[in-house]
């Protein structure tokens, strides 16, 4: 088979290597999207749509349930770790092996080898996940063609060490400003120090007790943290402004509005002179009580874990589609020069998903 | 008289205007130093020395006391405010009118018109006061020719609104570091937040009660302030480092070492992981109990005030010469585009100094 085609008869491990060897850094996914589209169009049981460098393929079997398998095509910049390399222990090294071309390989293998699944299937391959949120291909499909993403349940094949990670926590970034009055530091009593005025904010942060609520059997773990602080004019000036940037990671039983209200309340009596929401992305409920999710859990086995970080499952959640993360590879190796994946984990995920969709 | 000479028969107000009209931004004082040297060499009762762009002129009358009158020749950068302009109210506008060519004019007038003072006189005109401390001409004379600065008492003609400002406070800058451990902010409990660790430092600063000690009848006013704070790695990372820059302005009854020890003690139990002295300049005692100072106070009248900011009187203090600030102009107008001086104040200072040195 020429280099200009993807061979979907390769097993998922070999297919992962093939995908890694086609560079697809964010913004430069066209070559890989073309290969994926071409391969899927060769499968008669699928209808294929394309929007930019996003490819969506669907069965049309009239099943009572539809599930979505989604993954992003892009990687972070290559760091001398392409082409891929398979070592003697069956570990595949290279950029994107974990995040998440092994997951994409599993999607493609299911697309190619399960022509009559027990549920209708939607395969989503999207671009620009590793860059600014407004560029994200899944988000752009959701805006332009929300019907392409319709379904009863979604699996995002992000690396989760082949464990099911349910839902995700929300994230809120707020700027807390304090104010003062400038003066020469030799006559400090003529002014008012905005950095000193931030003392109650830091004290409140240091004393904060985060919640650990259990939702659908998963224990989430919130966190309220200063991620930046800056203040100061010159070494001889009493500063008139200080800003504490706070990041609130919250369990998916709070809405975005509730999260903002909570942070406002925490700092209500701390001398904050301006409260600015800088970024907000809601969480996603795990949805594990949904029948499709229950069947999925039974098929893949193991115990579901909560997802602490924010992921694209939240975009499905916003469309009313419960979603989980489930994929080969360790998320902690993502974006690293020594990124790698155990090929056994890739084959395991492929086999578990096939079992779920053919049982 | 040609433009290439200074006419010391002009009164101090007109002489100030003439000096302002010879630009002498820090590092570019040669033209003005040449004019000052030339004018002083024309006075037979003075011996004149030069070191770089610093000029020192002395009487050799064998008087039992010697006093030093000192001023800097340089200005901050010109901001469209040269040449000078005299308005209808007798106010002279322009760069250096207050800081401190009016003081230099008074020095030159005393040099020219008091050939037989009751105390031996040393006139010091120095460069680069407005820039980094190590370039300061007075400091460089003190290193190379400390004997040129010998005396029983010194008057620095910096702007003090024609009030006597005694001694000066010291200034100490310390960096207080806190440490933590990085983690993704979605799993904040895996790390340790260095910004939160700075909470006790800010609380201590906010609660600090500064001393106001009375020394030689002058009430000083200390201050301990954060002038900068910075911490943060990225918006999704628990920060592992935070630095609070603290400026301690302290009364001259503390030595530099005592000031450092005090700040160490204030923050002893605040979780500081590194304490770095970034800058230290000792204060200067007012020395108003010295006979020469007493006679000076009687001659110029008014009540002495404490000097809160650090000034070059500290350099005299380090040489064992008590020193005060006394000059025309308001220090708060220094370095401003609308810098100006009331010419009546220049003539008043000239007259008061002449009275002291001829009574």
């Amino acid at each position: 088979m020429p280099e200009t085609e993807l061979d979907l008869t390769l097993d998922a491990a070999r297919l992962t290597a093939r995908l890694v060897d086609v560079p697809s850094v964010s913004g430069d996914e066209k070559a890989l999207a073309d290969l994926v589209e071409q391969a899927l169009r060769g499968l008669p049981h699928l209808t294929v749509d394309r929007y930019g460098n996003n490819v969506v393929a669907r069965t049309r079997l009239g099943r009572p349930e539809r599930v979505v398998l989604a993954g992003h095509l892009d990687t972070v910049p290559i760091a001398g770790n392409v082409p891929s390399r398979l070592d003697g222990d069956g570990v595949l090294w290279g950029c994107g092996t974990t995040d998440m071309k092994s997951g994409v390989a599993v999607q493609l293998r299911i697309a190619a080898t399960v022509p009559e699944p027990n549920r209708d299937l939607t395969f989503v391959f999207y671009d620009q996940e590793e860059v600014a949120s407004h560029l994200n291909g899944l988000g752009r499909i959701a805006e332009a063609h929300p019907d392409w993403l319709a379904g009863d349940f979604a699996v995002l094949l992000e690396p989760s060490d082949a464990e099911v990670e349910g839902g995700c926590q929300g994230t809120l970034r707020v700027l807390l400003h304090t104010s003062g009055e400038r003066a020469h530091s030799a006559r400090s009593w003529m002014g008012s120090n905005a950095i000193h005025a931030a003392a109650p904010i830091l004290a409140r942060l240091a004393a904060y007790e985060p919640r650990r609520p259990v939702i659908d059997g998963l224990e989430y773990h919130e966190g309220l943290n200063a991620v930046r602080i800056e203040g100061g004019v010159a070494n001889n000036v009493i500063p008139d402004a200080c800003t504490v940037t706070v990041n609130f990671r919250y369990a998916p039983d709070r809405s975005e509005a509730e999260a903002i209200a909570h942070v406002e309340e925490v700092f209500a009596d701390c001398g904050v002179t301006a409260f600015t929401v800088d970024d907000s992305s809601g969480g996603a409920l795990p949805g594990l009580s949904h029948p499709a999710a229950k069947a999925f859990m039974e098929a893949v086995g193991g115990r579901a874990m909560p997802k602490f970080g924010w992921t694209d499952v939240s975009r499905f959640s916003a469309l009313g589609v419960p979603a989980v993360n489930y994929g080969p590879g360790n998320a902690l190796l993502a974006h690293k020069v020594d990124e790698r994946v155990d090929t056994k984990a890739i084959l395991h995920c492929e086999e578990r998903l096939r079992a779920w969709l053919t049982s």
Side-chain angles (χ1 to χ4, degrees), chain A:
Chain A
M1 181 161 288
E3 284 299 300
T4 54
E5 292 181 23
L6 284 181
D7 180 359
L8 300 188
T9 68
L10 294 175
D11 69 33
R14 287 190 175 81
L15 185 55
T16 300
R18 176 83 178 92
L19 294 172
V20 170
D21 296 346
V22 181
S24 59
V25 175
S26 306
D28 203 18
E29 298 94 337
K30 182 171 187 302
L32 185 56
D34 287 350
L35 285 177
V36 167
E37 180 185 0
Q38 180 192 43
L40 294 170
R41 287 201 190 276
L43 300 171
H45 62 286
L46 295 176
T47 59
V48 179
D49 290 297
R50 178 153 175 169
Y51 175 62
N53 286 327
N54 304 288
V55 181
V56 175
R58 285 175 281 184
T59 62
R60 306 275 195 181
L61 301 169
R63 303 284 195 245
E65 254 179 28
R66 174 175 290 278
V67 300
V68 183
L69 303 182
H72 62 84
L73 295 173
D74 62 322
T75 69
V76 295
I78 291 165
N81 52 356
V82 165
S84 60
R85 178 175 65 84
L86 183 69
D87 72 16
D89 297 323
V91 174
L92 184 70
W93 300 67
C95 180
T97 46
T98 269
D99 187 13
M100 58 168 284
K101 289 184 173 177
S102 50
V104 170
V106 170
Q107 288 177 269
L108 289 169
R109 283 290 293 164
I110 297 295
T113 62
V114 187
E116 295 201 348
N118 52 15
R119 296 164 173 85
D120 264 311
L121 295 180
T122 300
F123 300 93
V124 180
F125 303 88
Y126 60 100
D127 68 351
Q128 306 206 86
E129 191 271 349
E130 299 289 5
V131 287
S133 178
H134 70 281
L135 297 173
N136 183 293
L138 188 60
R140 288 169 56 239
I141 299 170
E143 278 171 25
H145 300 286
D147 54 305
W148 293 4
L149 302 179
D152 298 286
F153 181 61
V155 177
L156 194 62
L157 283 94
E158 286 274 7
S160 69
D161 256 343
E163 302 282 357
V164 177
E165 292 180 338
C168 77
Q169 296 203 127
T171 180
L172 168 66
R173 188 165 67 242
V174 170
L175 309 181
L176 304 175
H177 304 275
T178 59
S179 303
E181 192 182 340
R182 289 192 195 187
H184 195 291
S185 66
R187 292 176 291 275
S188 51
W189 58 93
M190 306 286 283
S192 162
N193 195 314
I195 296 176
H196 298 192
I201 295 171
L202 296 199
R204 192 60 52 89
L205 283 164
Y208 186 79
E209 295 279 353
R211 285 195 320 148
R212 300 173 68 163
V214 176
I215 305 167
D216 273 6
L218 306 186
E219 186 184 63
Y220 287 88
H221 196 150
E222 297 189 331
L224 181 67
N225 276 273
V227 289
R228 294 186 192 276
I229 188 167
E230 48 192 345
V233 177
N235 286 332
N236 62 352
V237 175
I238 301 303
D240 58 349
C242 181
T243 303
V244 185
T245 304
V246 166
N247 184 208
F248 183 39
R249 299 287 179 146
Y250 55 94
D253 59 343
R254 297 194 203 254
S255 69
E256 288 185 63
E258 286 165 350
I260 293 170
H262 176 69
V263 175
E264 281 181 330
E265 188 188 336
V266 166
F267 298 107
D269 56 350
C270 291
V272 173
T273 54
F275 181 101
T276 309
V277 174
D278 196 38
D279 186 60
S280 174
S281 297
L285 287 164
L288 295 179
S289 52
H290 190 279
K294 283 185 173 166
F296 172 74
M297 285 303 304
E298 278 165 24
V300 302
R303 200 168 64 86
M305 311 283 285
K307 182 69 182 172
F308 298 121
W310 192 89
T311 79
D312 275 338
V313 299
S314 177
R315 297 187 195 273
F316 283 107
S317 185
L319 293 168
V321 183
V324 298
N325 289 284
Y326 175 75
N330 182 337
L332 299 180
L333 293 172
H335 305 188
K336 297 205 167 181
V337 172
D338 60 350
E339 184 175 347
R340 58 194 183 273
V341 66
D342 186 337
T343 54
K344 289 191 294 296
I346 310 175
L347 301 176
H348 170 79
C349 281
E350 177 189 356
E351 184 255 317
R352 290 291 85 208
L353 285 178
R354 186 179 291 106
W356 172 46
L357 296 168
T358 57
S359 64

